[in-house]
Amino acid sequence: MPTIDEPEPTEIELGAVLHALSDPTRLAVVRQIEADGERCCGTLVVDVAKSTLSQHLRVLREAGLTRTRACGNQRWVSLRRDDLDAVFPGLLDVVLRAADRTSVAL
């Protein structure tokens, strides 16, 4: 099975994580994976073209937020929750709670 590059837990940087989470589409992807668990990339509900979604998923993966695994011609994406909580305890919880509050206010 081909490997897909992602940073080691010790290489995850706060600036990259915050940058990745600052985009509404990427935040929506993270929220979906957090709610549903591992998802096939093609089942993510976002209002962007497939090529644009691929770029967003790359940013999330390279920042260390997600893990992507290949299964045949499909790509499955999951949160690296344990790694993120070990490096930045509570950060993802705070961001997701803030996103929930913001989406309710809209």
Side-chain angles (χ1 to χ4, degrees), residues 44-104:
L44 293 165
V45 180
V46 291
D47 192 25
V48 296
K50 285 183 183 181
S51 59
T52 303
L53 176 58
S54 292
Q55 293 303 312
H56 284 300
L57 292 172
R58 180 186 55 78
V59 170
L60 290 169
R61 184 183 70 250
E62 290 178 353
L65 282 156
T66 60
R67 173 167 285 119
T68 303
R69 69 177 178 88
C71 185
N73 65 350
Q74 294 181 329
R75 300 291 179 264
W76 291 80
V77 63
S78 59
L79 281 181
R80 294 178 62 182
R81 178 59 110 143
D82 292 342
D83 291 340
L84 289 166
D85 286 343
V87 178
F88 306 115
L91 176 67
L92 193 54
D93 291 325
V94 169
V95 170
L96 293 174
R97 271 197 311 272
D100 287 342
R101 259 197 329 269
T102 302
S103 67
V104 171

Side-chain angles (χ1 to χ4, degrees), residues 29-51:
V29 167
V30 169
R31 291 173 74 192
Q32 288 177 55
I33 299 168
E34 174 70 10
D36 301 335
E38 184 180 48
R39 298 277 300 263
C40 180
C41 294
T43 67
L44 293 165
V45 180
V46 291
D47 192 25
V48 296
K50 285 183 183 181
S51 59

